[in-house]
């Protein structure tokens, strides 16, 4: 799994732990739902600022999106 | 400092600890030196894949680029 896959898996786990839909998280992070879906599937190569918005919407620091064993 | 600034500071610290020039690190990570300079100054909004290349060239996991107290 490359770094995108790791980030995507972490985002999905954190989102599900908060019982948020992709649509809800996408809205809170100000990204399109289809884009968020691509991030979660490891298909999108997101930037630092987009990931920081997603992290803030999840209530975590951005470093949590990069942890290896989340 | 936003997340770009944190990443940039970490990249610069890790690069200097390895006694690498920006030119050397840029070459190893396959980015332009001017781009790397922008990343280090927190001006560039790098993507996951570019940061992963920079991390690998520094010999660290990408999560090290996001630590808060590096």
């Amino acid at each position: 799994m490359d770094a995108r896959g790791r980030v995507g898996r972490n985002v999905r786990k954190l989102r599900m732990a908060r019982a948020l839909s992709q649509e809800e998280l996408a809205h809170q992070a100000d990204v399109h739902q289809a884009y968020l879906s691509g991030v979660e599937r490891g298909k999108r190569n997101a930037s630092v600022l987009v990931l920081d918005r997603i992290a803030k919407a999840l209530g975590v620091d951005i470093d949590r999106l990069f942890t290896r064993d989340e």
Side-chain angles (χ1 to χ4, degrees), chain A residues 4-67:
Chain A
R4 293 173 303 180
R6 187 201 302 182
V7 167
R9 187 188 53 184
N10 287 334
V11 168
R12 179 164 292 186
K13 280 194 178 184
L14 289 161
R15 175 176 63 76
M16 289 185 163
R18 285 150 182 74
L20 289 169
S21 67
Q22 279 190 345
E23 192 176 3
E24 289 168 328
L25 177 57
H27 178 72
Q28 290 177 29
D30 195 24
V31 299
H32 286 278
Q33 185 271 332
Y35 188 85
L36 177 62
S37 173
V39 169
E40 289 194 357
R41 286 178 291 113
K43 301 299 185 191
R44 291 286 190 159
N45 185 25
S47 71
V48 170
L49 289 180
V50 165
L51 292 176
D52 199 46
R53 291 211 306 273
I54 292 172
K56 284 182 166 62
L58 288 165
V60 299
D61 188 89
I62 190 172
D63 67 356
R64 285 285 298 283
L65 305 188
F66 289 87
T67 56

